[in-house]
Amino acid sequence: MPIVREPLDPKISMWYFLAFYLRFWREKMGLSLTQCGQIMGVTRGTVSNIEAGRRRLQDDHAQALDRHYGTGLLFNSCSGLPEWPTTPTGESNSSSTNRSLI
């Protein structure tokens, strides 16, 4: 049986909010990580990393999700968020950490 991780707390940061709602909508629509990745034009692993807060959602992926889910600009409005003082994992936002989120 696969390990199911708990969703991120969307109250911690905007990145966690985005990751939380990406997973929420994917599961609400009954999509697998692979199916969601096909909508976005990315791999299953990329979707997993975005949902885990390890990778940022790109504008074109956000637009594809909003079109598919009918969510208006929910994902698109969050994809261009400014840099925050800390990353979703709470680490300092140094240039090396920042590169891993892009």
Side-chain angles (χ1 to χ4, degrees), residues 39-92:
I39 293 164
M40 296 168 61
V42 299
T43 66
R44 172 191 186 282
T46 298
V47 177
S48 178
N49 284 327
I50 295 169
E51 287 185 3
R54 293 184 295 262
R55 186 170 177 153
R56 291 175 61 180
L57 184 66
Q58 301 297 312
D59 291 342
D60 55 334
H61 304 151
Q63 291 168 1
L65 290 172
D66 283 330
R67 276 193 306 272
H68 184 81
Y69 295 152
T71 51
L73 296 174
L74 173 67
F75 293 106
N76 195 37
S77 63
C78 294
S79 66
L81 293 172
E83 294 301 319
W84 294 87
T86 59
T87 65
T89 58
E91 300 167 346
S92 67

Side-chain angles (χ1 to χ4, degrees), residues 15-59:
W15 296 117
Y16 277 15
F17 172 86
L18 182 59
F20 176 87
Y21 278 100
L22 178 62
R23 181 177 177 187
F24 171 82
W25 275 97
R26 178 180 61 78
E27 290 178 346
K28 179 179 178 175
M29 301 298 276
L31 299 175
S32 68
L33 290 167
T34 302
Q35 291 169 320
C36 185
Q38 289 171 341
I39 293 164
M40 296 168 61
V42 299
T43 66
R44 172 191 186 282
T46 298
V47 177
S48 178
N49 284 327
I50 295 169
E51 287 185 3
R54 293 184 295 262
R55 186 170 177 153
R56 291 175 61 180
L57 184 66
Q58 301 297 312
D59 291 342

